[in-house]
Amino acid sequence: MSNEDSAETIAALDAAKAKYAEERAKRLRADGANQWQDFSGEYKDFDRDPYVEPGFTRDALTEEVEVVIVGAGFGGMLAAAQLRQQGITNFRIIDKAGDFGGTWYWNRYPGAMCDVESYCYLPMLEETGYIPTQKYAQAPEIFAYCQLFGRHFGIYDNALFQTEVSGMEWHEDTQRWVTTTSRGDAITSKFTVIVGGVLHKAKLPAIPGIKNFKGEGFHTSRWDYEYTGGNAYGGMTNLADKRVGVIGTGATAVQVVPKLAADCKELFVFQRTPAAVGVRNQGDTDVEWFKSLKPGWQIERIRNFTEAVSGKQPEVNLVGDSWTEMYWTDTKQLGATPEEQLALEELDFQNMEKIRHRIADIIEDPETAERMKPWYGQYCKRLCFHDDYLPAFNRPNVHLVDTEGRGVDHITENAVVVDGVEYPVDLLIYASGFEVTSDYHHRLGFDPKGRGGVSLSEAWGEGPYTLHGVMSDGFPNMLMISTLQGGFGTNFVHYLTETSKHVVYIIKMCLDEGIAQIEPTRDAEEGWFMELLSHVMGMANYNTTCTPGYMNREGEAGDMKAARGLSYMGSVGDYAKHLENWREEGKLTGVEVVRAK
Ligand code: NDP
């Protein structure tokens, strides 16, 4: 680079940094991570499950099993399938939903799909023999796959649906957990596996007046097709004469807006922070290619994708999509030299410039285009990839209402108010996301009581203590699969696959070796926390440049409790290596066990 080029680059970066800081400052709020309202109290109506017939009843169960799994999404399903593969069949899997699927049970909004390639995202494709129909599977196909998975592994008989866990208590005398539920069940087990609480508890923005709105209103994860007509593919004929408002422009809104735009009379999209939307390139599966894949292909592809989106630059890029292109270099790392740092920042800036230029190229109205440009780095929010979102704003019936980073002011009986202007709507849709950083027991909806009757919320009053995010001292035989001190990645199912394997290994080992109790030592937990801290520096710095969101705890500085709640910031592959090493070492490092008498 010549001196002139370099000066130009530095000037462009400085200008972008100033713009990023300005946009961040506009959005910082005193109520930070507390700006949300959950579906409790007077908002309980929002939590109705629209996908089941009301009035389901069954007799309460009192029974003893080897394992209770809480959560029947992909994590719980993977644990259940692997337990069965290990010959452990005496377990229960409990979920408040009416079927398997977790996220994919609840999120049936029009346009819902997975933005990670289906060949990497849908787990155990080699075992089930299923061939995804498209590169990016749509929600109905994913939900149907969850059902197929349940049938294939014979885990429906183990399931208790429409059942909420209300309590979980360790009994020292019997060395057993007792799990109680909303249906009066009391299930005794040697082990519990908790796989809940990630993008599970929907939230509403605490906008004044939500309760006053007299029109129809619901969260995207509780879609009311009775009102809109149609299904997840669209065709919402009931909206032809309706004015619809959408609050939020995150990954969900990006998928739902094109479908609403096509079907409703008028659509108002209330934007606080614009999404970064790259190229999708959907395509049908080449069945011949799929059938030609050699055994072992899926885990190889999954690992390759994770390496590619973790900046590890594998020799081949098997997936070759926009994710792998944008995350090929991990730009949130701290550069070893000022030149390297500059190169990382420039690459991040150039990637985001492509996204900003795409907006200007597609959106016809220059003012709308300008308002839709995301001014933050590529790791600040979940990137979106969609080919129909931006063009939707060229339709005459679609109106962007940009709130200049402030959010909606308030809601009246029939309108959304921004900057003193009323936008009357018949239907108001909250695309406002899910709790990510609230306390674990709050997201779970119950507070496990461990040794001596000490609850998890008490034990973790100063933040979580875990080994690998999986076990916690004071809670013997309770195994967790969550992002708290556990892994996190673009393909979340990769993380679930690796961690469920580990959890099932621990259970099987304990049963085979007559281990009645297993739990980590405090020293081992502190060692794990140090390991977590060693990966966090680049991201911590990077986060301070981002507009607020759940990735940076809404821009709050955070205390020790928040710091302890971090995830493993290396790649899922590196996280899995820690688990694998622990298993292969075979020395039960960092845990104490009590053998059965
Ligand atoms: P998000 O939390 O990402 O988005 C919530 C949106 O609501 C944001 O745009 C937010 O603005 C906006 N908002 C909040 N308060 C207000 C307010 N007062 N006025 C106006 N707007 C407001 O939720 P999503 O459901 O979109 O996505 C959640 C996660 O689900 C994703 O990050 C992703 O991990 C996952 N997901 C994955 C998909 C996939 O394909 N794999 C698809 C969809 C979702 P602001 O940005 O300013 O906070």
Side-chain angles (χ1 to χ4, degrees), residues 27 29 35-36 103-104 107 109 111-116 121 137 142 199 203-208 219-220 246-255 270-275 280 323 376 381-385 401 403 405-409 418 430-436 488-490 547-551 554:
R27 291 169 172 82
R29 304 164 49 124
Q35 61 178 285
W36 309 103
T103 289
W104 301 103
N107 287 286
Y109 57 83
M113 66 190 299
C114 185
D115 59 10
V116 173
Y121 184 78
I142 304 177
L199 298 185
K203 60 183 167 50
L204 297 169
I207 301 170
H219 187 271
T220 44
V246 174
I247 295 185
T249 48
T252 297
V254 164
Q255 297 181 337
F270 298 96
Q271 170 181 276
R272 189 165 74 174
T273 308
R280 168 71 309 156
W323 277 118
Y376 47 77
K381 286 187 182 290
R382 171 114 185 162
L383 288 174
C384 305
F385 301 100
V401 184
T403 67
R406 287 189 309 274
V408 164
D409 294 341
V418 176
Y430 297 93
S432 44
F434 303 85
E435 289 185 24
V436 176
F488 186 77
T490 303
T547 51
Y550 70 76
M551 303 270 212
E554 304 296 342

Side-chain angles (χ1 to χ4, degrees), residues 502-524:
H502 188 66
V503 159
V504 170
Y505 169 90
I506 292 172
I507 294 172
K508 170 87 170 133
M509 175 196 69
C510 289
L511 292 175
D512 286 353
E513 297 184 12
I515 295 173
Q517 279 187 48
I518 185 165
E519 74 185 279
T521 63
R522 201 28 91 95
D523 277 355

Side-chain angles (χ1 to χ4, degrees), residues 19-340:
K19 179 78 173 154
Y20 287 6
E22 189 189 318
E23 294 297 323
R24 173 184 159 91
K26 267 188 204 171
R27 291 169 172 82
L28 289 172
R29 304 164 49 124
D31 52 0
N34 293 320
Q35 61 178 285
W36 309 103
Q37 169 64 53
D38 67 9
F39 292 172
S40 62
E42 53 176 347
Y43 296 86
K44 195 136 184 55
D45 289 354
F46 276 93
D47 205 16
R48 188 179 69 87
D49 179 350
Y51 317 123
V52 289
E53 290 294 320
F56 167 75
T57 59
R58 65 165 170 81
D59 291 338
L61 286 174
T62 302
E63 61 177 7
E64 174 150 2
V65 294
E66 302 275 33
V67 187
V68 162
I69 302 172
V70 184
F74 273 133
M77 290 159 60
L78 279 162
Q82 290 172 89
L83 281 176
R84 276 204 166 261
Q85 285 179 328
Q86 294 298 328
I88 302 164
T89 54
N90 187 17
F91 63 87
R92 281 288 175 202
I93 177 164
I94 305 175
D95 202 297
K96 86 181 225 188
D99 207 331
F100 286 114
T103 289
W104 301 103
Y105 175 87
W106 294 107
N107 287 286
R108 304 187 194 192
Y109 57 83
M113 66 190 299
C114 185
D115 59 10
V116 173
E117 191 202 61
S118 57
Y119 321 127
C120 289
Y121 184 78
L122 296 179
M124 297 179 104
L125 284 174
E126 287 188 65
E127 287 84 344
T128 60
Y130 181 74
I131 304 178
T133 62
Q134 290 179 296
K135 188 168 169 76
Y136 299 97
Q138 309 206 37
E141 180 171 357
I142 304 177
F143 180 45
Y145 183 70
C146 293
Q147 295 174 313
L148 177 152
F149 188 105
R151 290 192 299 275
H152 181 87
F153 290 103
I155 54 178
Y156 267 100
D157 289 344
N158 303 82
L160 296 177
F161 292 126
Q162 298 191 59
T163 303
E164 264 182 273
V165 170
S166 50
M168 189 180 270
E169 189 164 357
W170 173 252
H171 291 249
E172 193 73 34
D173 48 345
T174 55
Q175 296 177 314
R176 297 285 187 275
W177 284 97
V178 176
T179 301
T180 48
T181 76
S182 57
R183 302 230 169 242
D185 309 312
I187 306 175
T188 302
S189 65
K190 289 182 186 150
F191 297 91
T192 59
V193 179
I194 303 178
V195 207
V198 184
L199 298 185
H200 149 80
K201 220 170 156 56
K203 60 183 167 50
L204 297 169
I207 301 170
I210 289 181
K211 286 303 287 178
N212 300 339
F213 184 64
K214 294 257 192 300
E216 177 76 8
F218 50 78
H219 187 271
T220 44
S221 65
R222 304 286 188 278
W223 199 272
D224 185 352
Y225 282 108
E226 225 169 89
Y227 179 86
T228 63
N231 56 35
Y233 297 109
M236 294 171 282
T237 46
N238 299 354
L239 299 184
D241 60 349
K242 299 281 188 293
R243 296 160 304 180
V244 180
V246 174
I247 295 185
T249 48
T252 297
V254 164
Q255 297 181 337
V256 89
V257 159
K259 297 290 180 190
L260 286 169
D263 290 345
C264 72
K265 183 174 154 210
E266 275 197 288
L267 179 65
F268 297 89
V269 181
F270 298 96
Q271 170 181 276
R272 189 165 74 174
T273 308
V277 189
V279 176
R280 168 71 309 156
N281 276 340
Q282 172 67 300
D284 290 342
T285 299
D286 174 346
V287 174
E288 288 314 309
W289 162 78
F290 192 93
K291 285 183 177 161
S292 75
L293 294 166
K294 303 275 176 300
W297 70 267
Q298 197 187 18
I299 194 68
E300 186 194 346
R301 195 173 180 92
I302 288 172
R303 289 183 179 151
N304 180 271
F305 177 77
T306 291
E307 284 197 356
V309 296
S310 308
K312 290 187 182 286
Q313 307 185 355
E315 265 174 40
V316 280
N317 180 355
L318 292 175
V319 173
D321 64 356
S322 297
W323 277 118
T324 54
E325 200 179 293
M326 276 192 76
Y327 285 176
W328 190 248
T329 302
D330 185 356
T331 61
K332 65 187 180 305
Q333 292 305 313
L334 294 178
T337 60
E339 291 76 25
E340 199 181 303

Side-chain angles (χ1 to χ4, degrees), residues 365-392:
D365 173 39
E367 196 191 326
T368 305
E370 209 44 45
R371 287 177 179 277
M372 289 185 72
K373 287 185 182 168
W375 291 103
Y376 47 77
Q378 63 178 29
Y379 288 96
C380 290
K381 286 187 182 290
R382 171 114 185 162
L383 288 174
C384 305
F385 301 100
H386 209 287
D387 297 333
D388 304 326
Y389 177 70
L390 297 172

